[in-house]
Amino acid sequence: MRFRHPDGSTVHLAYCTNVHPAETLDGVLAQLRDHCEPVRRRLGRDRLGIGLWLARDAAHALVTDPSALRGLRSELDRRGLEVVTLNGFPYEGFGAEEVKYRVYKPDWADPERLEHTTSLARVLAGLLPDDVTDGSISTLPLAWRTAYDETRADKARTALVTLAERLDALQDLTGRSIRVGLEPEPGCVVETTRDAIAPLTAIAHDRIGICVDTCHLATSFEDPHTALDALTAARVPVVKSQLSAALHAEHPSRPEVRDALAAFAEPRFLHQTRTVTPTDSAAEAAATAGLRGTDDLDEALADNGPLPDTAPWRAHFHVPLHAAPAAPLTSTLLVLKAALTRLVGGPHPLTRHLEVETYTWQALPPELRPRARAQLTDGIAAELTLARDLLTDLGLKELP
């Protein structure tokens, strides 16, 4: 979906296909047929943007076989789909029964991450629509925080500098500009937007920036305006933004709240949980200095768990945008709205690539999961409709 910003530029809205995990190129082609095209038809659109997730095997097949890449591009066109952004965070196995910490491997200190991301950039340059010259890729925020020492940090910095050089060369070759954004996530070396500023300014290359995921932003209790103002002041480019909402519990000390949270503790994904302890300093509060957390929701809910329960909790669980959890829980949709206002509601957009990323439909409590393909189609279409309405409310005009 495309929108005209009041400044005349085009803003793209897509949904991320990591909700339909597939490891192979054949699986990706099946996604287009079984899910993406039905979502487009459900919305009544001639064209729909999708943010492709390409696992290692699928990316390798496309980058080593020009005919396969041409075939994917033709299939996208035939089904009324377009790609301007890729999700390069998961490497493989995102559809496994247990993902948890595996999603953070390989990290940016491992050569495989650089090679995979380079492959994704080459593929994306071949998939961009004829009238689009700019593409974006979101990626791992350096590494999971454990076992990340200065030696590995040096390797990661070198890899990102090499990536920037390769992206420059790719533009010289193809005329397509591809940018990559580190995606801050709780528990990682780069957990917050603030954590991203130092490594990105050290690289100092406009092809390497940040992907702002509004679920992650909210989980770490970042204020959207403060965060985005700091990125702007530091000249860190917002390569893309993933529109998502976290799970919010206002009163985690209450038994009924803990019971409701427990229904979202599941074995497939990590659901990092955070709270902010009171502080006497407004500056410290703004910087989330009192942030405390656990790596997973069940750790937070354990008897005598490490999190204080006198302030609200937020969990990294991407809940459907249009359907907040039932009371006593809710979502952080208000954080998403505030971030979107700052991202595209000003005189010029801070980013032109937006992606709805709710990949946890099948990880929801059983009674909330879609029981048929058509229900998932309806849910994704409803999320995109909500996002569309937010954009038009901010003055953007939907394009055919």
Side-chain angles (χ1 to χ4, degrees):
M1 301 169 76
R2 298 188 186 191
F3 297 81
R4 182 74 68 207
H5 189 275
D7 75 347
S9 62
T10 300
V11 173
H12 295 264
L13 173 66
Y15 90 90
C16 186
T17 64
N18 62 353
V19 65
H20 321 299
E23 300 291 315
T24 65
L25 179 55
D26 285 344
V28 171
L29 295 172
Q31 288 175 351
L32 305 185
R33 179 193 67 227
D34 296 339
H35 299 288
C36 302
E37 185 178 8
V39 170
R40 177 184 66 76
R41 293 184 180 279
R42 177 67 178 81
L43 288 166
R45 305 290 303 166
D46 293 332
R47 174 174 54 188
L48 176 67
I50 57 171
L52 272 182
W53 172 59
L54 297 173
R56 178 196 62 179
D57 290 348
H60 180 74
L62 290 165
V63 82
T64 57
D65 184 352
S67 65
L69 183 57
R70 290 193 298 269
L72 176 57
R73 172 66 189 276
S74 296
E75 191 71 1
L76 289 166
D77 292 341
R78 186 169 75 86
R79 297 191 183 278
L81 307 169
E82 66 177 15
V83 174
V84 303
T85 189
L86 301 180
N87 186 332
F89 196 134
Y91 179 68
E92 62 183 349
F94 201 61
E97 291 184 5
E98 181 177 329
V99 178
K100 298 291 184 180
Y101 295 95
R102 293 172 52 191
V103 76
Y104 306 106
K105 294 291 186 178
D107 64 33
W108 272 102
D110 295 323
E112 293 90 344
R113 178 61 65 171
L114 172 61
E115 296 310 314
H116 177 60
T117 309
T118 301
S119 294
L120 292 178
R122 292 171 177 164
V123 168
L124 181 56
L127 294 180
L128 288 177
D130 291 339
D131 61 343
V132 175
T133 58
D134 297 328
S136 63
I137 302 171
S138 50
T139 190
L140 179 78
L142 298 183
W144 186 252
R145 69 183 185 280
T146 57
Y148 190 76
D149 56 19
E150 191 55 38
T151 298
R152 295 188 68 78
D154 286 341
K155 290 180 179 180
R157 283 192 292 269
T158 299
L160 287 168
V161 170
T162 300
L163 176 66
E165 294 169 349
R166 292 179 179 180
L167 296 177
D168 283 341
L170 184 64
Q171 182 171 18
D172 290 341
L173 180 66
T174 67
R176 304 296 178 91
S177 174
I178 308 298
R179 297 192 299 167
V180 173
L182 303 183
E183 181 186 332
E185 176 164 313
C188 291
V189 172
V190 174
E191 167 153 344
T192 66
T193 57
R194 184 181 70 259
D195 296 335
I197 290 175
L200 290 175
T201 52
I203 295 168
H205 198 296
D206 62 5
R207 294 200 193 280
I208 311 296
I210 194 169
C211 168
V212 175
D213 184 300
T214 58
C215 171
H216 303 170
L217 190 83
T219 301
S220 294
F221 286 87
E222 289 197 81
D223 173 72
H225 295 285
T226 301
L228 292 167
D229 285 348
L231 293 173
T232 300
R235 299 182 181 274
V236 172
V238 181
V239 170
K240 66 186 280 190
S241 180
Q242 289 171 329
L243 307 183
S244 52
L247 192 62
H248 180 94
E250 186 69 18
H251 301 289
S253 63
R254 297 178 180 176
E256 66 273 20
V257 175
R258 298 177 79 89
D259 288 345
L261 283 170
F264 287 83
E266 53 84 37
R268 186 172 175 187
F269 300 110
L270 277 187
H271 301 296
Q272 302 93 315
T273 305
R274 298 289 185 266
T275 189
V276 176
T277 56
T279 175
D280 294 330
S281 165
E284 286 185 356
T288 63
L291 193 67
R292 295 179 61 181
T294 60
D295 285 354
D296 217 341
L297 181 55
D298 55 359
E299 297 173 30
L301 292 169
D303 292 339
N304 301 312
L307 287 191
D309 59 8
T310 54
W313 288 4
R314 289 177 179 172
H316 173 216
F317 196 117
H318 290 225
V319 296
L321 301 186
H322 68 292
L329 304 178
T330 187
S331 79
T332 59
L333 183 62
L334 290 178
V335 176
L336 183 160
K337 291 179 178 179
L340 195 60
T341 298
R342 184 69 179 85
L343 286 166
V344 301
H348 304 287
L350 297 184
T351 185
R352 293 185 289 110
H353 291 177
L354 305 172
E355 179 182 64
V356 172
E357 197 215 9
T358 304
Y359 59 84
T360 44
W361 283 92
Q362 297 302 336
L364 290 166
E367 67 276 11
L368 301 179
R369 295 174 193 169
R371 291 183 294 277
R373 188 180 294 169
Q375 288 181 304
L376 179 59
T377 296
D378 289 346
I380 293 169
E383 289 192 294
L384 286 166
T385 297
L386 182 147
R388 178 198 64 195
D389 291 346
L390 293 177
L391 291 173
T392 55
D393 287 347
L394 290 170
L396 282 73
K397 180 181 178 181
E398 187 176 7
L399 299 175

